[in-house]
Amino acid sequence: MKADRIFLQILRVAAGASLLVLAAFFIQLFWAALPAFRAAGAGFFTSTDWSPGQQEFGAGAFIYGTLVSSVLALLISVPVSVATALCLTELLPARLAGVISFVVEMLAAIPSVVFGLWGVFVLSPVLRATVQPFLAEKLPWVPLFSGPPLGIGMMSAGVILAIMITPTLTALSREVFLAIPRLQREAALALGATRWEAIRVAVLQSAKGGLWGAIILGWGRALGETMAVTMVIGNRPQVSASLFAPAQTLAAVLANEYAEATDDLHLSALAAVGFTLLLVSTVIHLGAKLWIRRGGKA
C-alpha cells in the first residue's frame, strides 16, 4: 500500500510538472512579447504590415499563412491517410501490409530540410510547369487559382506539409482501426452487409472520435513545421486568396529573422510571433477537444 501511495504521488508530480512547463512557456513568451504588444496593440494580430526597419510589426499575414497552409495540408493528407490505414487493416494481406506500413513510417524519419530541398528542386518546378497552369486554365473563375504560376508559394507549402504529416495520420488512424473489435466487422457481415458497408458502419463510424484526435495531432504537426515550409512558401508577408501566391507562416518568420534581429522591439515582436503560434496551437487543440466532446460522438 505504501508503494502504491508513493507511485501515485510520483504520477501527480509528473502531471503537475507538465502543466508548470506549459505555464512557463506562456509566461516567458508573453513577458518577452509585452513591449511589442504595447507598441502595436490589438493591431499586432490583425495588421499585415511587417517592416522591422520602420518599426511596424503586424502578424496578421503570418497567422493567415499558418492556418491556410496547414488546413490545405489536412485537406490533401486526411483522405490519403485514412484510405491507406483502411487498406492496411482491412484489405491487404498481413505480410504486404507490414511492408507498406514500414515504407510509410520511413517518411516520418526523413529530415525536414530534405523535404524542403525536394520541394525546391522537384515539387515547385512541377507545380509551376504543369499543375498550376492546368488549374488556371480549367478554373479561371476560382480565386484560389488566379495569378501567375510561380511554383513557390502557398500551394507548395501545403503539399509539402501534407506529405510530412501523412505518416503520422496514417499510423494513428491504423491504431484506431485496430482497436475496433473484430466481432463488430463479423456481426455486420453476418447481417448481410457488403465488405464496404461493414467497413463504413462497423469501422469508420466507431472510429470517428479517434480519427478526429489523429487529425488534430496531425494539424498540430503542420502548424509548427518550419524548415520545409520556409524553403517553399516564398516568405512574403501578404494575404492573398490565390494559392499560387507567396506567403509566410509564424514559424517561417522566426526562422528567417531571429538570428539577424538586434533591435529590442524587433526581438520582442518575434517573441510575440512565437507566443501567437503557441496560442493558436493551444486554442485549436482545446476547441477540437470541446467539439469532439459535444458533437464528435454523434
Side-chain angles (χ1 to χ4, degrees):
M1 296 298 294
K2 184 177 180 180
D4 291 341
R5 289 195 296 270
I6 294 175
F7 183 66
L8 180 60
Q9 293 301 322
I10 292 175
L11 293 180
R12 288 175 175 172
V13 171
S18 63
L19 294 177
L20 289 176
V21 170
L22 181 61
F25 275 132
F26 270 102
I27 293 172
Q28 180 63 34
L29 282 175
F30 181 77
W31 185 259
L34 197 56
F37 287 147
R38 287 174 175 170
F44 180 84
F45 300 102
T46 58
S47 174
T48 59
D49 296 326
W50 182 272
S51 177
Q54 300 179 4
Q55 300 289 290
E56 295 179 354
F57 300 103
F62 308 141
I63 297 173
Y64 173 83
T66 300
L67 294 177
V68 172
S69 61
S70 60
V71 170
L72 177 61
L74 287 179
L75 292 176
I76 298 172
S77 178
V78 169
V80 175
S81 301
V82 173
T84 303
L86 280 175
C87 286
L88 295 176
T89 57
E90 307 297 329
L91 302 177
L92 297 180
R95 182 173 298 181
L96 180 58
V99 174
I100 296 177
S101 297
F102 175 77
V103 173
V104 172
E105 291 170 1
M106 279 295 296
L107 288 174
I110 299 176
S112 175
V113 68
V114 175
F115 278 109
L117 288 172
W118 179 82
V120 170
F121 293 114
V122 178
L123 176 64
S124 294
V126 170
L127 293 178
R128 181 177 62 248
T130 59
V131 177
Q132 292 180 351
F134 174 81
L135 293 173
E137 179 183 354
K138 299 299 182 181
L139 302 171
W141 63 88
V142 180
L144 294 175
F145 308 130
S146 61
L150 302 176
I152 295 293
M154 186 74 78
M155 181 176 287
S156 295
V159 174
I160 284 290
L161 284 176
I163 297 172
M164 296 182 70
I165 66 176
T166 292
T168 301
L169 287 175
T170 302
L172 292 173
S173 301
R174 180 171 175 266
E175 293 301 319
V176 171
F177 295 148
L178 289 175
I180 298 173
R182 177 64 59 179
L183 289 175
Q184 288 190 208
R185 302 167 174 84
E186 296 175 353
L189 293 172
L191 291 173
T194 63
R195 187 70 177 271
W196 163 243
E197 289 172 341
I199 292 174
R200 180 171 57 85
V201 175
V203 179
L204 289 176
Q205 288 294 329
S206 301
K208 187 184 298 184
L211 288 178
W212 275 113
I215 291 171
I216 297 307
L217 289 175
W219 197 2
R221 166 78 190 276
L223 286 172
E225 183 52 51
T226 305
M227 287 307 303
V229 175
T230 303
M231 297 172 72
V232 300
I233 200 171
N235 298 308
R236 184 184 298 172
Q238 66 177 12
V239 174
S240 175
S242 175
L243 297 179
F244 300 168
Q248 198 163 17
T249 65
L250 293 166
V253 70
L254 291 174
N256 283 327
E257 297 189 14
Y258 193 83
E260 301 176 359
T262 56
D263 182 77
D264 290 340
L265 188 58
H266 190 188
L267 289 171
S268 178
L270 293 175
V273 169
F275 177 81
T276 303
L277 178 59
L278 182 60
L279 187 63
V280 168
S281 300
T282 303
V283 169
I284 287 176
H285 280 73
L286 291 178
K289 282 185 173 293
L290 291 175
W291 188 88
I292 291 172
R293 286 181 179 180
R294 293 183 179 183
K297 296 180 181 179

PDB file of all heavy atoms in Angstrom, residues 251-269:
ATOM      1  N   ALA A 251       6.044  30.254 -37.989  1.00  0.00           N
ATOM      2  CA  ALA A 251       7.314  29.560 -37.763  1.00  0.00           C
ATOM      3  C   ALA A 251       8.378  30.021 -38.749  1.00  0.00           C
ATOM      4  O   ALA A 251       9.561  30.127 -38.391  1.00  0.00           O
ATOM      5  CB  ALA A 251       7.102  28.051 -37.866  1.00  0.00           C
ATOM      6  N   ALA A 252       7.981  30.305 -39.988  1.00  0.00           N
ATOM      7  CA  ALA A 252       8.951  30.702 -41.005  1.00  0.00           C
ATOM      8  C   ALA A 252       9.584  32.054 -40.682  1.00  0.00           C
ATOM      9  O   ALA A 252      10.791  32.243 -40.886  1.00  0.00           O
ATOM     10  CB  ALA A 252       8.281  30.738 -42.377  1.00  0.00           C
ATOM     11  N   VAL A 253       8.798  33.007 -40.202  1.00  0.00           N
ATOM     12  CA  VAL A 253       9.370  34.320 -39.898  1.00  0.00           C
ATOM     13  C   VAL A 253      10.349  34.225 -38.732  1.00  0.00           C
ATOM     14  O   VAL A 253      11.367  34.936 -38.694  1.00  0.00           O
ATOM     15  CB  VAL A 253       8.255  35.351 -39.617  1.00  0.00           C
ATOM     16  CG1 VAL A 253       7.557  35.075 -38.298  1.00  0.00           C
ATOM     17  CG2 VAL A 253       8.815  36.764 -39.622  1.00  0.00           C
ATOM     18  N   LEU A 254      10.100  33.336 -37.787  1.00  0.00           N
ATOM     19  CA  LEU A 254      11.054  33.129 -36.698  1.00  0.00           C
ATOM     20  C   LEU A 254      12.366  32.569 -37.231  1.00  0.00           C
ATOM     21  O   LEU A 254      13.456  33.011 -36.833  1.00  0.00           O
ATOM     22  CB  LEU A 254      10.459  32.183 -35.652  1.00  0.00           C
ATOM     23  CG  LEU A 254       9.297  32.729 -34.827  1.00  0.00           C
ATOM     24  CD1 LEU A 254       8.726  31.628 -33.931  1.00  0.00           C
ATOM     25  CD2 LEU A 254       9.739  33.905 -33.971  1.00  0.00           C
ATOM     26  N   ALA A 255      12.280  31.596 -38.127  1.00  0.00           N
ATOM     27  CA  ALA A 255      13.488  31.001 -38.690  1.00  0.00           C
ATOM     28  C   ALA A 255      14.267  31.998 -39.536  1.00  0.00           C
ATOM     29  O   ALA A 255      15.504  31.987 -39.550  1.00  0.00           O
ATOM     30  CB  ALA A 255      13.121  29.774 -39.530  1.00  0.00           C
ATOM     31  N   ASN A 256      13.563  32.875 -40.241  1.00  0.00           N
ATOM     32  CA  ASN A 256      14.225  33.807 -41.149  1.00  0.00           C
ATOM     33  C   ASN A 256      14.869  34.989 -40.438  1.00  0.00           C
ATOM     34  O   ASN A 256      15.931  35.462 -40.854  1.00  0.00           O
ATOM     35  CB  ASN A 256      13.219  34.333 -42.180  1.00  0.00           C
ATOM     36  CG  ASN A 256      12.924  33.330 -43.270  1.00  0.00           C
ATOM     37  OD1 ASN A 256      13.792  32.559 -43.655  1.00  0.00           O
ATOM     38  ND2 ASN A 256      11.697  33.323 -43.756  1.00  0.00           N
ATOM     39  N   GLU A 257      14.250  35.489 -39.381  1.00  0.00           N
ATOM     40  CA  GLU A 257      14.654  36.785 -38.851  1.00  0.00           C
ATOM     41  C   GLU A 257      15.280  36.755 -37.458  1.00  0.00           C
ATOM     42  O   GLU A 257      15.926  37.734 -37.077  1.00  0.00           O
ATOM     43  CB  GLU A 257      13.431  37.727 -38.820  1.00  0.00           C
ATOM     44  CG  GLU A 257      12.853  38.020 -40.187  1.00  0.00           C
ATOM     45  CD  GLU A 257      11.785  39.108 -40.151  1.00  0.00           C
ATOM     46  OE1 GLU A 257      11.687  39.804 -39.121  1.00  0.00           O
ATOM     47  OE2 GLU A 257      11.057  39.260 -41.140  1.00  0.00           O
ATOM     48  N   TYR A 258      15.105  35.685 -36.707  1.00  0.00           N
ATOM     49  CA  TYR A 258      15.553  35.751 -35.317  1.00  0.00           C
ATOM     50  C   TYR A 258      17.072  35.906 -35.203  1.00  0.00           C
ATOM     51  O   TYR A 258      17.558  36.659 -34.356  1.00  0.00           O
ATOM     52  CB  TYR A 258      15.112  34.489 -34.560  1.00  0.00           C
ATOM     53  CG  TYR A 258      15.273  34.635 -33.066  1.00  0.00           C
ATOM     54  CD1 TYR A 258      14.290  35.277 -32.308  1.00  0.00           C
ATOM     55  CD2 TYR A 258      16.399  34.168 -32.416  1.00  0.00           C
ATOM     56  CE1 TYR A 258      14.428  35.441 -30.946  1.00  0.00           C
ATOM     57  CE2 TYR A 258      16.548  34.326 -31.046  1.00  0.00           C
ATOM     58  CZ  TYR A 258      15.563  34.962 -30.311  1.00  0.00           C
ATOM     59  OH  TYR A 258      15.715  35.119 -28.968  1.00  0.00           O
ATOM     60  N   ALA A 259      17.819  35.219 -36.065  1.00  0.00           N
ATOM     61  CA  ALA A 259      19.283  35.295 -35.970  1.00  0.00           C
ATOM     62  C   ALA A 259      19.811  36.677 -36.324  1.00  0.00           C
ATOM     63  O   ALA A 259      20.909  37.061 -35.887  1.00  0.00           O
ATOM     64  CB  ALA A 259      19.917  34.243 -36.874  1.00  0.00           C
ATOM     65  N   GLU A 260      19.073  37.447 -37.111  1.00  0.00           N
ATOM     66  CA  GLU A 260      19.538  38.753 -37.566  1.00  0.00           C
ATOM     67  C   GLU A 260      18.921  39.900 -36.792  1.00  0.00           C
ATOM     68  O   GLU A 260      19.280  41.057 -37.026  1.00  0.00           O
ATOM     69  CB  GLU A 260      19.220  38.919 -39.052  1.00  0.00           C
ATOM     70  CG  GLU A 260      19.859  37.856 -39.944  1.00  0.00           C
ATOM     71  CD  GLU A 260      19.442  37.986 -41.393  1.00  0.00           C
ATOM     72  OE1 GLU A 260      18.638  38.894 -41.683  1.00  0.00           O
ATOM     73  OE2 GLU A 260      19.910  37.190 -42.220  1.00  0.00           O
ATOM     74  N   ALA A 261      18.007  39.626 -35.901  1.00  0.00           N
ATOM     75  CA  ALA A 261      17.335  40.697 -35.157  1.00  0.00           C
ATOM     76  C   ALA A 261      18.249  41.210 -34.053  1.00  0.00           C
ATOM     77  O   ALA A 261      18.766  40.448 -33.244  1.00  0.00           O
ATOM     78  CB  ALA A 261      16.027  40.181 -34.563  1.00  0.00           C
ATOM     79  N   THR A 262      18.448  42.514 -34.030  1.00  0.00           N
ATOM     80  CA  THR A 262      19.274  43.141 -32.998  1.00  0.00           C
ATOM     81  C   THR A 262      18.505  44.180 -32.207  1.00  0.00           C
ATOM     82  O   THR A 262      18.835  44.451 -31.047  1.00  0.00           O
ATOM     83  CB  THR A 262      20.518  43.796 -33.633  1.00  0.00           C
ATOM     84  OG1 THR A 262      20.096  44.733 -34.634  1.00  0.00           O
ATOM     85  CG2 THR A 262      21.410  42.741 -34.274  1.00  0.00           C
ATOM     86  N   ASP A 263      17.513  44.787 -32.825  1.00  0.00           N
ATOM     87  CA  ASP A 263      16.716  45.801 -32.145  1.00  0.00           C
ATOM     88  C   ASP A 263      15.823  45.152 -31.099  1.00  0.00           C
ATOM     89  O   ASP A 263      15.252  44.079 -31.303  1.00  0.00           O
ATOM     90  CB  ASP A 263      15.860  46.550 -33.171  1.00  0.00           C
ATOM     91  CG  ASP A 263      15.034  47.649 -32.521  1.00  0.00           C
ATOM     92  OD1 ASP A 263      15.606  48.701 -32.215  1.00  0.00           O
ATOM     93  OD2 ASP A 263      13.835  47.410 -32.309  1.00  0.00           O
ATOM     94  N   ASP A 264      15.692  45.808 -29.945  1.00  0.00           N
ATOM     95  CA  ASP A 264      14.905  45.243 -28.846  1.00  0.00           C
ATOM     96  C   ASP A 264      13.444  45.050 -29.236  1.00  0.00           C
ATOM     97  O   ASP A 264      12.829  44.027 -28.901  1.00  0.00           O
ATOM     98  CB  ASP A 264      14.992  46.147 -27.609  1.00  0.00           C
ATOM     99  CG  ASP A 264      16.376  46.110 -26.969  1.00  0.00           C
ATOM    100  OD1 ASP A 264      17.112  45.139 -27.235  1.00  0.00           O
ATOM    101  OD2 ASP A 264      16.699  47.046 -26.219  1.00  0.00           O
ATOM    102  N   LEU A 265      12.873  46.022 -29.949  1.00  0.00           N
ATOM    103  CA  LEU A 265      11.469  45.896 -30.335  1.00  0.00           C
ATOM    104  C   LEU A 265      11.276  44.784 -31.370  1.00  0.00           C
ATOM    105  O   LEU A 265      10.267  44.073 -31.341  1.00  0.00           O
ATOM    106  CB  LEU A 265      10.962  47.226 -30.897  1.00  0.00           C
ATOM    107  CG  LEU A 265       9.447  47.295 -31.175  1.00  0.00           C
ATOM    108  CD1 LEU A 265       8.655  47.011 -29.906  1.00  0.00           C
ATOM    109  CD2 LEU A 265       9.073  48.654 -31.746  1.00  0.00           C
ATOM    110  N   HIS A 266      12.247  44.632 -32.252  1.00  0.00           N
ATOM    111  CA  HIS A 266      12.182  43.552 -33.230  1.00  0.00           C
ATOM    112  C   HIS A 266      12.224  42.195 -32.535  1.00  0.00           C
ATOM    113  O   HIS A 266      11.446  41.284 -32.852  1.00  0.00           O
ATOM    114  CB  HIS A 266      13.337  43.688 -34.224  1.00  0.00           C
ATOM    115  CG  HIS A 266      13.224  42.765 -35.404  1.00  0.00           C
ATOM    116  ND1 HIS A 266      14.244  42.611 -36.324  1.00  0.00           N
ATOM    117  CD2 HIS A 266      12.225  41.933 -35.809  1.00  0.00           C
ATOM    118  CE1 HIS A 266      13.863  41.742 -37.247  1.00  0.00           C
ATOM    119  NE2 HIS A 266      12.648  41.317 -36.956  1.00  0.00           N
ATOM    120  N   LEU A 267      13.127  42.036 -31.570  1.00  0.00           N
ATOM    121  CA  LEU A 267      13.199  40.787 -30.808  1.00  0.00           C
ATOM    122  C   LEU A 267      11.907  40.535 -30.046  1.00  0.00           C
ATOM    123  O   LEU A 267      11.423  39.400 -29.966  1.00  0.00           O
ATOM    124  CB  LEU A 267      14.387  40.836 -29.844  1.00  0.00           C
ATOM    125  CG  LEU A 267      15.783  40.745 -30.468  1.00  0.00           C
ATOM    126  CD1 LEU A 267      16.852  41.036 -29.431  1.00  0.00           C
ATOM    127  CD2 LEU A 267      16.000  39.353 -31.062  1.00  0.00           C
ATOM    128  N   SER A 268      11.344  41.599 -29.494  1.00  0.00           N
ATOM    129  CA  SER A 268      10.081  41.452 -28.782  1.00  0.00           C
ATOM    130  C   SER A 268       8.956  41.046 -29.730  1.00  0.00           C
ATOM    131  O   SER A 268       8.098  40.218 -29.380  1.00  0.00           O
ATOM    132  CB  SER A 268       9.724  42.757 -28.072  1.00  0.00           C
ATOM    133  OG  SER A 268       8.481  42.647 -27.401  1.00  0.00           O
ATOM    134  N   ALA A 269       8.970  41.608 -30.944  1.00  0.00           N
ATOM    135  CA  ALA A 269       7.945  41.244 -31.924  1.00  0.00           C
ATOM    136  C   ALA A 269       8.069  39.779 -32.328  1.00  0.00           C
ATOM    137  O   ALA A 269       7.059  39.077 -32.510  1.00  0.00           O
ATOM    138  CB  ALA A 269       8.060  42.142 -33.149  1.00  0.00           C
TER     139      ALA A 269
END
